mmCIF file with all atom_site columns, all heavy atoms in Angstrom:
data_model
loop_
_atom_site.group_PDB
_atom_site.id
_atom_site.type_symbol
_atom_site.label_atom_id
_atom_site.label_alt_id
_atom_site.label_comp_id
_atom_site.label_asym_id
_atom_site.label_entity_id
_atom_site.label_seq_id
_atom_site.pdbx_PDB_ins_code
_atom_site.Cartn_x
_atom_site.Cartn_y
_atom_site.Cartn_z
_atom_site.occupancy
_atom_site.B_iso_or_equiv
_atom_site.pdbx_formal_charge
_atom_site.auth_seq_id
_atom_site.auth_comp_id
_atom_site.auth_asym_id
_atom_site.auth_atom_id
_atom_site.pdbx_PDB_model_num
ATOM 1  N N   . ALA A 1 195 ? 92.106  -88.907  3.465  1.00 64.00 ? 445 ALA A N   1
ATOM 2  C CA  . ALA A 1 195 ? 92.066  -87.633  4.174  1.00 64.00 ? 445 ALA A CA  1
ATOM 3  C C   . ALA A 1 195 ? 91.331  -86.575  3.345  1.00 64.00 ? 445 ALA A C   1
ATOM 4  O O   . ALA A 1 195 ? 90.589  -85.760  3.872  1.00 64.00 ? 445 ALA A O   1
ATOM 5  C CB  . ALA A 1 195 ? 93.482  -87.163  4.491  1.00 64.00 ? 445 ALA A CB  1
ATOM 6  N N   . LYS A 1 196 ? 91.541  -86.609  2.024  1.00 60.00 ? 446 LYS A N   1
ATOM 7  C CA  . LYS A 1 196 ? 90.858  -85.644  1.158  1.00 60.00 ? 446 LYS A CA  1
ATOM 8  C C   . LYS A 1 196 ? 89.355  -85.890  1.095  1.00 60.00 ? 446 LYS A C   1
ATOM 9  O O   . LYS A 1 196 ? 88.566  -84.997  1.002  1.00 60.00 ? 446 LYS A O   1
ATOM 10 C CB  . LYS A 1 196 ? 91.434  -85.708  -0.248 1.00 60.00 ? 446 LYS A CB  1
ATOM 11 C CG  . LYS A 1 196 ? 92.853  -85.197  -0.355 1.00 60.00 ? 446 LYS A CG  1
ATOM 12 C CD  . LYS A 1 196 ? 93.375  -85.302  -1.768 1.00 60.00 ? 446 LYS A CD  1
ATOM 13 C CE  . LYS A 1 196 ? 94.814  -84.830  -1.877 1.00 60.00 ? 446 LYS A CE  1
ATOM 14 N NZ  . LYS A 1 196 ? 95.343  -84.968  -3.268 1.00 60.00 ? 446 LYS A NZ  1
ATOM 15 N N   . GLN A 1 197 ? 88.979  -87.190  1.202  1.00 56.00 ? 447 GLN A N   1
ATOM 16 C CA  . GLN A 1 197 ? 87.561  -87.539  1.118  1.00 56.00 ? 447 GLN A CA  1
ATOM 17 C C   . GLN A 1 197 ? 86.815  -87.254  2.412  1.00 56.00 ? 447 GLN A C   1
ATOM 18 O O   . GLN A 1 197 ? 85.667  -86.844  2.397  1.00 56.00 ? 447 GLN A O   1
ATOM 19 C CB  . GLN A 1 197 ? 87.417  -89.037  0.762  1.00 56.00 ? 447 GLN A CB  1
ATOM 20 C CG  . GLN A 1 197 ? 87.985  -89.386  -0.602 1.00 56.00 ? 447 GLN A CG  1
ATOM 21 C CD  . GLN A 1 197 ? 87.252  -88.685  -1.728 1.00 56.00 ? 447 GLN A CD  1
ATOM 22 O OE1 . GLN A 1 197 ? 86.023  -88.595  -1.701 1.00 56.00 ? 447 GLN A OE1 1
ATOM 23 N NE2 . GLN A 1 197 ? 87.983  -88.217  -2.726 1.00 56.00 ? 447 GLN A NE2 1
ATOM 24 N N   . THR A 1 198 ? 87.499  -87.512  3.540  1.00 45.00 ? 448 THR A N   1
ATOM 25 C CA  . THR A 1 198 ? 86.808  -87.426  4.832  1.00 45.00 ? 448 THR A CA  1
ATOM 26 C C   . THR A 1 198 ? 87.314  -86.287  5.706  1.00 45.00 ? 448 THR A C   1
ATOM 27 O O   . THR A 1 198 ? 86.670  -85.936  6.694  1.00 45.00 ? 448 THR A O   1
ATOM 28 C CB  . THR A 1 198 ? 86.938  -88.745  5.598  1.00 45.00 ? 448 THR A CB  1
ATOM 29 O OG1 . THR A 1 198 ? 88.341  -88.964  5.893  1.00 45.00 ? 448 THR A OG1 1
ATOM 30 C CG2 . THR A 1 198 ? 86.427  -89.907  4.783  1.00 45.00 ? 448 THR A CG2 1
ATOM 31 N N   . GLY A 1 199 ? 88.512  -85.775  5.398  1.00 40.00 ? 449 GLY A N   1
ATOM 32 C CA  . GLY A 1 199 ? 89.075  -84.747  6.245  1.00 40.00 ? 449 GLY A CA  1
ATOM 33 C C   . GLY A 1 199 ? 89.654  -85.305  7.513  1.00 40.00 ? 449 GLY A C   1
ATOM 34 O O   . GLY A 1 199 ? 90.009  -84.568  8.432  1.00 40.00 ? 449 GLY A O   1
ATOM 35 N N   . ALA A 1 200 ? 89.727  -86.609  7.616  1.00 38.00 ? 450 ALA A N   1
ATOM 36 C CA  . ALA A 1 200 ? 90.253  -87.253  8.833  1.00 38.00 ? 450 ALA A CA  1
ATOM 37 C C   . ALA A 1 200 ? 91.542  -87.973  8.507  1.00 38.00 ? 450 ALA A C   1
ATOM 38 O O   . ALA A 1 200 ? 91.905  -88.182  7.371  1.00 38.00 ? 450 ALA A O   1
ATOM 39 C CB  . ALA A 1 200 ? 89.225  -88.253  9.370  1.00 38.00 ? 450 ALA A CB  1
ATOM 40 N N   . ILE A 1 201 ? 92.278  -88.342  9.551  1.00 37.00 ? 451 ILE A N   1
ATOM 41 C CA  . ILE A 1 201 ? 93.529  -89.091  9.417  1.00 37.00 ? 451 ILE A CA  1
ATOM 42 C C   . ILE A 1 201 ? 93.269  -90.535  9.807  1.00 37.00 ? 451 ILE A C   1
ATOM 43 O O   . ILE A 1 201 ? 92.785  -90.810  10.909 1.00 37.00 ? 451 ILE A O   1
ATOM 44 C CB  . ILE A 1 201 ? 94.632  -88.488  10.298 1.00 37.00 ? 451 ILE A CB  1
ATOM 45 C CG1 . ILE A 1 201 ? 94.892  -87.037  9.883  1.00 37.00 ? 451 ILE A CG1 1
ATOM 46 C CG2 . ILE A 1 201 ? 95.907  -89.316  10.215 1.00 37.00 ? 451 ILE A CG2 1
ATOM 47 C CD1 . ILE A 1 201 ? 95.929  -86.342  10.739 1.00 37.00 ? 451 ILE A CD1 1
ATOM 48 N N   . LEU A 1 202 ? 93.593  -91.445  8.931  1.00 37.00 ? 452 LEU A N   1
ATOM 49 C CA  . LEU A 1 202 ? 93.346  -92.854  9.171  1.00 37.00 ? 452 LEU A CA  1
ATOM 50 C C   . LEU A 1 202 ? 94.383  -93.431  10.095 1.00 37.00 ? 452 LEU A C   1
ATOM 51 O O   . LEU A 1 202 ? 95.589  -93.203  9.915  1.00 37.00 ? 452 LEU A O   1
ATOM 52 C CB  . LEU A 1 202 ? 93.380  -93.620  7.837  1.00 37.00 ? 452 LEU A CB  1
ATOM 53 C CG  . LEU A 1 202 ? 93.067  -95.114  7.893  1.00 37.00 ? 452 LEU A CG  1
ATOM 54 C CD1 . LEU A 1 202 ? 91.587  -95.310  8.196  1.00 37.00 ? 452 LEU A CD1 1
ATOM 55 C CD2 . LEU A 1 202 ? 93.433  -95.785  6.582  1.00 37.00 ? 452 LEU A CD2 1
ATOM 56 N N   . PRO A 1 203 ? 93.999  -94.151  11.147 1.00 38.00 ? 453 PRO A N   1
ATOM 57 C CA  . PRO A 1 203 ? 94.978  -94.797  12.009 1.00 38.00 ? 453 PRO A CA  1
ATOM 58 C C   . PRO A 1 203 ? 95.743  -95.856  11.247 1.00 38.00 ? 453 PRO A C   1
ATOM 59 O O   . PRO A 1 203 ? 95.221  -96.416  10.278 1.00 38.00 ? 453 PRO A O   1
ATOM 60 C CB  . PRO A 1 203 ? 94.121  -95.425  13.126 1.00 38.00 ? 453 PRO A CB  1
ATOM 61 C CG  . PRO A 1 203 ? 92.764  -95.565  12.513 1.00 38.00 ? 453 PRO A CG  1
ATOM 62 C CD  . PRO A 1 203 ? 92.616  -94.432  11.556 1.00 38.00 ? 453 PRO A CD  1
ATOM 63 N N   . PRO A 1 204 ? 96.968  -96.143  11.652 1.00 38.00 ? 454 PRO A N   1
ATOM 64 C CA  . PRO A 1 204 ? 97.773  -97.131  10.929 1.00 38.00 ? 454 PRO A CA  1
ATOM 65 C C   . PRO A 1 204 ? 97.133  -98.505  10.953 1.00 38.00 ? 454 PRO A C   1
ATOM 66 O O   . PRO A 1 204 ? 96.481  -98.861  11.938 1.00 38.00 ? 454 PRO A O   1
ATOM 67 C CB  . PRO A 1 204 ? 99.118  -97.134  11.663 1.00 38.00 ? 454 PRO A CB  1
ATOM 68 C CG  . PRO A 1 204 ? 98.809  -96.561  13.017 1.00 38.00 ? 454 PRO A CG  1
ATOM 69 C CD  . PRO A 1 204 ? 97.684  -95.602  12.818 1.00 38.00 ? 454 PRO A CD  1
ATOM 70 N N   . SER A 1 205 ? 97.320  -99.256  9.882  1.00 34.00 ? 455 SER A N   1
ATOM 71 C CA  . SER A 1 205 ? 96.789  -100.610 9.798  1.00 34.00 ? 455 SER A CA  1
ATOM 72 C C   . SER A 1 205 ? 97.465  -101.509 10.820 1.00 34.00 ? 455 SER A C   1
ATOM 73 O O   . SER A 1 205 ? 98.674  -101.413 11.045 1.00 34.00 ? 455 SER A O   1
ATOM 74 C CB  . SER A 1 205 ? 96.997  -101.174 8.408  1.00 34.00 ? 455 SER A CB  1
ATOM 75 O OG  . SER A 1 205 ? 96.628  -102.523 8.352  1.00 34.00 ? 455 SER A OG  1
ATOM 76 N N   . PRO A 1 206 ? 96.705  -102.418 11.473 1.00 35.00 ? 456 PRO A N   1
ATOM 77 C CA  . PRO A 1 206 ? 97.327  -103.294 12.452 1.00 35.00 ? 456 PRO A CA  1
ATOM 78 C C   . PRO A 1 206 ? 98.283  -104.306 11.813 1.00 35.00 ? 456 PRO A C   1
ATOM 79 O O   . PRO A 1 206 ? 99.086  -104.901 12.487 1.00 35.00 ? 456 PRO A O   1
ATOM 80 C CB  . PRO A 1 206 ? 96.112  -104.014 13.081 1.00 35.00 ? 456 PRO A CB  1
ATOM 81 C CG  . PRO A 1 206 ? 95.045  -103.932 12.041 1.00 35.00 ? 456 PRO A CG  1
ATOM 82 C CD  . PRO A 1 206 ? 95.279  -102.619 11.351 1.00 35.00 ? 456 PRO A CD  1
ATOM 83 N N   . LYS A 1 207 ? 98.170  -104.529 10.510 1.00 35.00 ? 457 LYS A N   1
ATOM 84 C CA  . LYS A 1 207 ? 99.052  -105.481 9.840  1.00 35.00 ? 457 LYS A CA  1
ATOM 85 C C   . LYS A 1 207 ? 100.464 -104.917 9.760  1.00 35.00 ? 457 LYS A C   1
ATOM 86 O O   . LYS A 1 207 ? 100.673 -103.779 9.408  1.00 35.00 ? 457 LYS A O   1
ATOM 87 C CB  . LYS A 1 207 ? 98.534  -105.742 8.418  1.00 35.00 ? 457 LYS A CB  1
ATOM 88 C CG  . LYS A 1 207 ? 99.204  -106.934 7.732  1.00 35.00 ? 457 LYS A CG  1
ATOM 89 C CD  . LYS A 1 207 ? 98.712  -108.234 8.288  1.00 35.00 ? 457 LYS A CD  1
ATOM 90 C CE  . LYS A 1 207 ? 99.298  -109.403 7.491  1.00 35.00 ? 457 LYS A CE  1
ATOM 91 N NZ  . LYS A 1 207 ? 98.833  -110.692 7.962  1.00 35.00 ? 457 LYS A NZ  1
#
Side-chain angles (χ1 to χ4, degrees):
K446 292 179 181 178
Q447 296 296 320
T448 63
I451 300 178
L452 183 70
S455 173
K457 192 75 174 181

